[in-house]
Amino acid sequence: MKINKPILVTHPYMPPKETVMKYLDSLWETRWLTNNGPLVQELEKKLKDKLSVDDIVVFANGHLALDSAFRIYGFKEGSEVITTPYTFVSTVNAIEMNGLKPVFCDIKESDCTIDENMIEALITDKTVAICPVHVYGFPCNTEKIEEIAKRHNLKVIYDSAHAFGVRLNGQGIASFGDMSMFSMHATKVFHTVEGGAVAFSQKDLRDKLKTQKNFGLKDKEDAQVAAFNAKMSEMHAAVGLANLESFDKQVNKRKELVNRYIENIEKINGGCKNSKITLFDFNRENVEYNYAYFPVLINDGLGVSRDVLAERLWSEKKINARKYFSPLISDMTFYKKKYGESNTPIAKDISERVLTLPMFYELTLEEVDYITESIKEISR
Ligand code: T4K
């Protein structure tokens, strides 16, 4: 197969222009462009239904949404938050920039989420919260995490950046924990170009989150806290409303692509499961996946290292596979200098073998075949 443009790891879904215009048209009438306008309110209402959550507040981006979730609790400086180093740097930055100390827990090889059995050993009298990440949209063990949090009186703030639309045991993924942050960045399954949201159940959190994203102002005139501007504009909300209309269609297409990848990679592995390339489980009966990413682990049996494979996929085949997530956050300059290396051997091993293959709505089955054929060819 010949390709005429590079295949990127992801490509934003573009809703039909007419659908976006359907929402945008009203702005030329009302001139109401931001500051909790009608489209933002409509988006919050629709997201609440789509995600089956009690309440949700949207933000300018996922990072500020997560930062706000920590900020409104006003944890004492130096308090500890247990998270993992296997994530995007935003997760740990949100903890650090709130004056809190990230404490790194290892992850499970099966799905790259926090190893719930290792959390308790990390709890000290300074621990105030757990921030687990539903990496690639794979759900953490919410039941065990909540049980631990309850026993030790800790808050649970999920980084659900990847998990928009995921369900666990029939429940929306954000119905677990105290708060869950979704990223609605252009590269996500559901996007508002830039955008984020915090979902929650406890009633008083709505006012606090809304104050936090609006300079700390309550009722226009009085600052209750010193805060930033993290409001979503009406333009962004319009894109979100338009994208929401095709979310299910998108997920179905992604499922087809994932199944084709799995079928092809099983052939590369021959009869020996995961011998050359480890596949993750997309078939848990109690999970409704969103197929946000397609990660694999490159094993010695493939005969080519992950780094060489990634480099040659790009230079020879114009396929942009990315190492989400490598390096570990604890190995990044700032965090390594401040806290030293983390004792998280599974996360380290996975970060050295992981490759996320292209996954987006417009990708074709033929392109998936081209990608897996290219991997086969390079590894020969
Ligand atoms: N927590 C977690 C676990 C996260 O993964 C993220 C974000 C956050 C928190 C924070 O949420 P936000 O504040 O972002 O809402 C990307 C995204 O920028 C970032 O949102 C995402 N995680 C992270 C995993 O990936 P980069 O630096 O890898 O993006 P970039 O520019 O290399 O783009 C990736 C691919 O997408 C490229 O192949 C090009 C393509 N692309 C990208 C953009 C922006 C396009 O085709 N069009 C585009 O407009 O971070």
Side-chain angles (χ1 to χ4, degrees), residues 113-304:
T113 64
I114 194 164
D115 186 339
E116 62 278 2
N117 294 317
M118 300 189 89
I119 294 175
E120 255 181 315
L122 298 171
I123 296 175
T124 69
D125 55 4
K126 287 190 174 161
T127 311
V128 288
I130 310 173
C131 181
V133 186
H134 299 300
V135 185
Y136 312 127
F138 297 148
C140 299
N141 186 336
T142 52
E143 197 181 327
K144 184 80 195 278
I145 291 169
E146 249 107 287
E147 185 255 304
I148 295 169
K150 212 167 172 191
R151 201 146 23 86
H152 293 272
N153 196 23
L154 306 175
K155 299 290 180 201
V156 183
I157 299 172
Y158 282 104
D159 182 331
S160 303
H162 302 175
F164 189 97
V166 170
R167 288 175 177 272
L168 178 64
N169 299 322
Q171 276 177 258
I173 196 69
S175 50
F176 302 99
D178 294 284
M179 284 186 264
S180 293
M181 177 281 286
F182 292 104
S183 164
M184 306 189 302
H185 180 262
T187 54
K188 298 296 188 289
V189 184
F190 169 77
H191 77 85
T192 56
V193 183
E194 288 274 1
V198 176
F200 51 92
S201 301
Q202 205 185 305
K203 286 202 165 54
D204 64 327
L205 294 179
R206 165 162 273 274
D207 267 1
K208 289 184 177 160
L209 287 165
K210 286 191 69 178
T211 302
Q212 183 60 43
K213 73 170 181 177
N214 187 27
F215 309 99
L217 287 172
K218 196 160 183 244
D219 307 328
K220 298 277 184 205
E221 286 178 350
D222 186 34
Q224 310 260 313
V225 285
F228 37 62
N229 172 6
K231 291 174 269 113
M232 177 183 277
S233 82
E234 290 291 279
M235 298 260 180
H236 291 84
V239 174
L241 286 163
N243 274 338
L244 212 47
E245 293 188 14
S246 28
F247 178 73
D248 295 340
K249 179 181 86 175
Q250 268 212 71
V251 171
N252 289 337
K253 170 69 187 298
R254 284 168 174 267
K255 182 177 182 180
E256 249 184 83
L257 297 168
V258 163
N259 286 339
R260 184 69 150 248
Y261 265 127
I262 292 174
E263 200 183 303
N264 292 354
I265 291 174
E266 277 175 349
K267 282 188 199 140
I268 295 178
N269 280 333
C272 208
K273 201 169 171 232
N274 293 343
S275 57
K276 297 177 179 173
I277 298 176
T278 297
L279 290 164
F280 288 95
D281 188 358
F282 280 92
N283 285 308
R284 282 176 57 192
E285 269 183 11
N286 60 345
V287 179
E288 278 175 47
Y289 298 88
N290 66 0
Y291 309 96
Y293 293 84
F294 188 74
V296 294
L297 303 182
I298 305 303
N299 301 327
D300 289 346
L302 191 65
V304 58

